[in-house]
Amino acid sequence: MSDPRSEAAKRRTFAIISHPDAGKTTLTEKFLLYGGALGKEAGAVKAKSGGRAATSDWMDLEQQRGISITSAALQFEYRDCIVNLLDTPGHRDFSEDTYRVLAAADAAVMVLDAAKGIEPQTLKLFEVCREREIPFLTFINKWDRPGLGPLELLDQIEETLIVEPTPVTWPVGIPGDFRGVIHQQTGEYTRFERTARGSTMAPEEIVSAEQAAIDDGEWWDTAQEEAELLREVGRVVDQKSFLACESTPVFFGSALTNFGIRFLLDGVVDLVPSPAPRVLADGGRRGIDEPFSGLVFKVQAGMDKAHRDRIAFIRVCSGVFERGMMVTAGESGRQFSSKYAQTLFGQDRDTVDTAYPGDILGFVNANDLRIGEAVYSDSPCEFPALPAFAPEFFMRARVLDTSKFKQFRKGIAQLDEEGAVQVLRDEDLGDQAPILAAVGQLQFEVATHRLENEFGAAIELTNTPYTIARKTDAESMPALRAMQGVDVLTRANGIHLALFESRYWMDRVLADHPDLTLERMVAEGGLG
Ligand code: G4P
């Protein structure tokens, strides 16, 4: 067993965020290729179309829809570091899930499609990043294809995200004829070569300025001038402003052809902060070398038909985890054995014997664990609550066959605990016809699919008039419930939500009754 401090110093724990199709799955696969986790050939993490059975695509529905809903945690070694990569759902409808995953990450890599730049859908994920104060690197992908100019992309990042882009690499060639990159710190020009289907690492050659001028002519001149100009105006990586989320180091590349992947991985190792003492609910910090503690950031069931179980994902925050140790769950003080702790590599599971700060554990069938909860050995701790996410869609759910009510009840309780959808009950009506509240419509599809297939309780969903919610409390409840166009419902965790038919109506209630509690939640107002 090693010392947690030196092991933590080796860890880089980050998540990739992107809009669908920007290349997150491909990039994940290439990270694993460069990290040596796939042997010499890419192809283990695959995607959806063309029969690709993704390591990170577990659910049937994901495969049918060709989207990534669940999150995988992958670990590999690169240089002298251990990299923990957290996959996040690409679709904005699952940004609440992304938010929870980011609670377990120390940084993010934002992937942009060079032809599209920042798409409206990306903004929400980015806002989530900003809300959590997660520093992020930007990877401009698909440079092998025609797209926007590099300076134009930098402008977009700056204007839309209000973050200063600081290029680490600068592309030589035009989108569509990508030759290589200039490394801004060393000034070196690295030229890449394609390999068949990008299945092996792209051969690299450092080219002298004289040779580049001969081979790449005008493209070299332009790239060099731009790169120099950017250095002159101070557009260079600055660790302090990166950590403060005021700047983002930018990399150009192509995940498909492996161009620029090594530089990006080097950037992850050099720039992403290693795990630091974790802030506690009481404002103190849990030191890296204190006894084992971890944060439950995700609970997921139905990941794999072969193992119909439920996994709680835990990020180790302090100390050393050893399999078999007795672990206590923060809220309830319940103890459980960690005999079945696992690491997860897509569908493959391995038992884990030891884990250090920054690592991700999967606790199988630790059914009582709740998202946001702390687990620990020896000395208790509590992390700040994960803030509630503002739902934007509200549908009433009823079980179609009333003889399946028990299954329905069990199913919605579980979906609520996992955070797959928020289940809001009227205290007088109980579970008869709860309202399912979601950040995006696709969450309803997942809930319906899972209730039917996993729990045997087919449901019908009907529209409700509600469009916006605020957190309220027991004192404000009677007054709000007496009003027209407002309802107050309660989640299983005791949180009361006031639902309004329109923002206009909510603003009026707020103006007329300043005494009532109506708290904003994260990402209210449909950012993006
Ligand atoms: P996602 O996880 O963010 O949704 O994106 P994914 O990696 O699945 O990539 C989406 C599409 O973009 C895929 O094409 C993929 O091959 C392509 N792609 C990813 N990176 C690059 C790149 O650097 N250059 C180019 N030209 N294309 C890239 P597809 O047609 O959906 O799948 P496939 O038929 O290629 O497998």
Side-chain angles (χ1 to χ4, degrees):
M1 192 175 87
S2 309
D3 146 50
R5 232 178 237 280
S6 59
E7 287 294 329
K10 283 195 229 163
R11 269 33 183 201
R12 300 292 181 273
T13 302
F14 74 105
I16 304 182
I17 55 170
S18 78
H19 49 270
D21 277 347
K24 182 160 62 73
T25 314
T26 314
L27 184 63
T28 302
E29 177 176 307
K30 299 312 173 69
F31 274 168
L32 295 176
L33 173 71
Y34 276 74
L38 295 180
K40 291 210 162 46
E41 281 208 23
V45 182
K46 312 235 196 82
K48 312 106 218 183
S49 56
R52 300 194 289 171
T55 301
S56 52
D57 284 1
W58 283 298
M59 290 169 66
D60 301 348
L61 189 69
E62 281 186 290
Q63 278 158 22
Q64 285 163 22
R65 296 288 307 243
I67 51 169
S68 185
I69 296 168
T70 49
S71 297
L74 307 168
Q75 187 179 68
F76 58 92
E77 287 178 32
Y78 184 72
R79 290 182 8 204
D80 52 356
C81 283
I82 294 179
V83 179
N84 292 307
L85 198 176
L86 305 173
D87 189 14
T88 57
H91 201 283
R92 72 191 291 268
D93 283 9
F94 301 102
S95 47
E96 185 172 11
D97 195 24
T98 301
Y99 191 88
R100 293 188 287 250
V101 172
L102 288 175
D106 295 318
V109 168
M110 181 172 76
V111 184
L112 299 182
D113 180 331
K116 298 183 178 148
I118 294 184
E119 296 181 73
Q121 284 188 355
T122 339
L123 267 175
K124 188 152 189 162
L125 291 170
F126 163 74
E127 289 294 347
V128 165
C129 231
R130 169 132 63 203
E131 186 88 36
R132 287 218 62 85
E133 296 179 357
I134 297 279
F136 68 100
L137 310 173
T138 300
F139 181 64
I140 300 187
N141 189 29
K142 305 198 187 183
W143 204 257
D144 56 299
R145 287 203 314 205
L148 306 171
L151 291 169
E152 193 179 346
L153 282 158
L154 293 195
D155 282 349
Q156 261 199 24
I157 294 170
E158 181 150 24
E159 279 160 26
T160 322
L161 309 182
I162 328 284
V163 168
E164 186 181 7
T166 53
V168 177
T169 59
W170 195 250
V172 180
I174 49 166
D177 195 350
F178 185 24
R179 303 284 170 95
V181 294
I182 298 171
H183 198 280
Q184 285 292 67
Q185 203 180 6
T186 60
E188 261 173 9
Y189 171 31
T190 303
R191 197 153 57 195
F192 305 111
E193 238 177 81
R194 276 178 179 256
T195 62
R197 298 183 313 281
S199 60
T200 51
M201 294 187 211
E204 295 177 6
E205 181 195 2
I206 299 204
V207 182
S208 67
E210 299 74 42
Q211 193 60 40
I214 297 167
D215 298 344
D216 300 313
E218 203 182 308
W219 290 344
W220 163 252
D221 295 339
T222 311
Q224 208 196 15
E225 275 165 30
E226 288 171 343
E228 207 176 295
L229 186 78
L230 287 161
R231 285 196 295 264
E232 273 169 18
V233 298
R235 285 303 173 94
V236 287
V237 175
D238 172 48
Q239 183 79 2
K240 200 163 152 233
S241 67
F242 160 64
L243 292 179
C245 305
E246 287 159 6
S247 71
T248 175
V250 178
F251 301 77
F252 288 83
S254 157
L256 195 69
T257 61
N258 300 335
F259 287 16
I261 303 298
R262 188 177 61 81
F263 287 121
L264 179 60
L265 256 181
D266 284 338
V268 166
V269 164
D270 295 336
L271 296 165
V272 168
S274 56
R278 187 105 190 162
V279 174
L280 295 168
D282 64 8
R285 281 176 194 266
R286 180 87 165 186
I288 293 291
D289 47 8
E290 289 191 52
F292 165 72
S293 70
L295 167 73
V296 181
F297 66 96
K298 188 171 171 63
V299 174
Q300 179 138 25
M303 288 185 6
D304 175 0
K305 284 216 173 93
H307 314 258
R308 268 263 172 262
D309 52 17
R310 190 165 168 185
I311 295 196
F313 289 85
I314 290 164
R315 175 198 153 112
V316 180
C317 298
S318 66
V320 182
F321 168 83
E322 284 177 282
R323 188 155 64 89
M325 77 189 338
M326 282 309 280
V327 172
T328 307
E331 268 170 41
S332 60
R334 292 172 321 273
Q335 285 208 315
F336 58 93
S337 157
S338 58
K339 212 157 58 183
Y340 301 109
Q342 300 187 327
T343 51
L344 297 132
F345 185 93
Q347 277 175 328
D348 298 330
R349 301 175 178 192
D350 276 325
T351 49
V352 61
D353 289 321
T354 322
Y356 297 96
D359 289 344
I360 308 301
L361 297 168
F363 279 17
V364 181
N365 283 338
N367 286 343
D368 299 331
L369 292 178
R370 303 278 175 271
I371 290 166
E373 193 171 32
V375 294
Y376 54 82
S377 69
D378 304 328
S379 84
C381 66
E382 195 188 328
F383 299 117
L386 293 178
F389 221 81
E392 291 168 35
F393 300 96
F394 306 86
M395 303 280 274
R396 198 172 288 284
R398 284 189 189 80
V399 64
L400 281 175
D401 174 354
T402 45
S403 72
K404 296 281 171 24
F405 185 67
K406 244 170 93 175
Q407 288 88 329
F408 170 68
R409 217 169 150 166
K410 187 165 168 227
I412 53 166
Q414 185 161 319
L415 294 181
D416 194 22
E417 278 170 23
E418 284 176 32
V421 70
Q422 300 182 20
V423 179
L424 311 178
R425 294 174 184 79
D426 184 315
E427 285 190 335
D428 302 331
L429 296 176
D431 282 328
Q432 291 301 334
I435 287 183
L436 305 186
V439 175
Q441 294 279 4
L442 275 174
Q443 283 179 264
F444 294 127
E445 279 189 45
V446 172
T448 308
H449 181 89
R450 287 188 54 192
L451 283 168
E452 186 171 343
N453 292 283
E454 226 172 280
F455 298 92
I459 58 163
E460 94 178 326
L461 289 173
T462 47
N463 285 322
T464 70
Y466 305 111
T467 61
I468 189 162
R470 282 275 169 102
K471 220 164 107 180
T472 184
D473 55 22
E475 289 73 57
S476 303
M477 224 161 123
L480 286 164
R481 291 191 82 165
M483 292 176 195
Q484 284 213 323
V486 188
D487 201 355
V488 183
L489 301 173
T490 307
R491 283 190 74 178
N493 58 10
I495 288 179
H496 303 297
L497 290 191
L499 274 45
F500 298 85
E501 292 185 9
S502 68
R503 179 176 284 274
Y504 164 77
W505 193 240
M506 184 182 77
D507 288 342
R508 264 194 65 178
V509 170
L510 271 168
D512 294 348
H513 305 274
D515 49 311
L516 294 176
T517 303
L518 289 167
E519 277 173 37
R520 285 176 72 92
M521 287 174 281
V522 172
E524 179 182 303
L527 295 162

